[in-house]
Amino acid sequence: DGVNDVFTVSELYATGMHVWIYDRWGVLVYEWDGLAGFWDGTYQENGKPVSDGVYYYIADISDLNNVLKSESGFIQLIRGGGK
């Protein structure tokens, strides 16, 4: 439906970013480097969809003063069923 199809991290004054996404067992499933990156719910290594569930992200973000901060949180992935 085009709503919430990707996960991104927005930071108003960011100049750089690196994001890691892990499954519930701590296995890295996806990562990106740069402000324009996003995750579409697939495994990075093969492009196949990951299972519904909870994923954990860590984002290292550089600001205008080159200060690095780290943010983290959870993503609940629920795929919509077709009609």
Side-chain angles (χ1 to χ4, degrees):
D1 65 3
V3 178
N4 293 326
D5 288 344
V6 297
F7 170 76
T8 62
V9 177
S10 347
E11 185 69 29
L12 186 57
Y13 297 107
T15 59
M17 180 180 310
H18 193 95
V19 179
W20 299 266
I21 299 175
Y22 298 91
D23 67 14
R24 65 189 313 172
W25 297 278
V27 175
L28 180 67
V29 296
Y30 203 89
E31 71 178 302
W32 75 81
D33 193 38
L35 299 175
F38 61 88
W39 181 48
D40 62 357
T42 61
Y43 287 102
Q44 189 159 24
E45 103 182 4
N46 60 20
K48 293 183 179 179
V50 300
S51 300
D52 288 10
V54 177
Y55 293 82
Y56 182 73
Y57 75 91
I58 300 171
D60 284 348
I61 303 165
S62 298
D63 69 12
L64 295 171
N65 297 316
N66 264 348
V67 174
L68 183 66
K69 72 175 187 175
S70 189
E71 293 186 4
S72 60
F74 295 94
I75 307 161
Q76 175 73 47
L77 179 71
I78 303 170
R79 298 194 187 280
K83 289 185 177 182

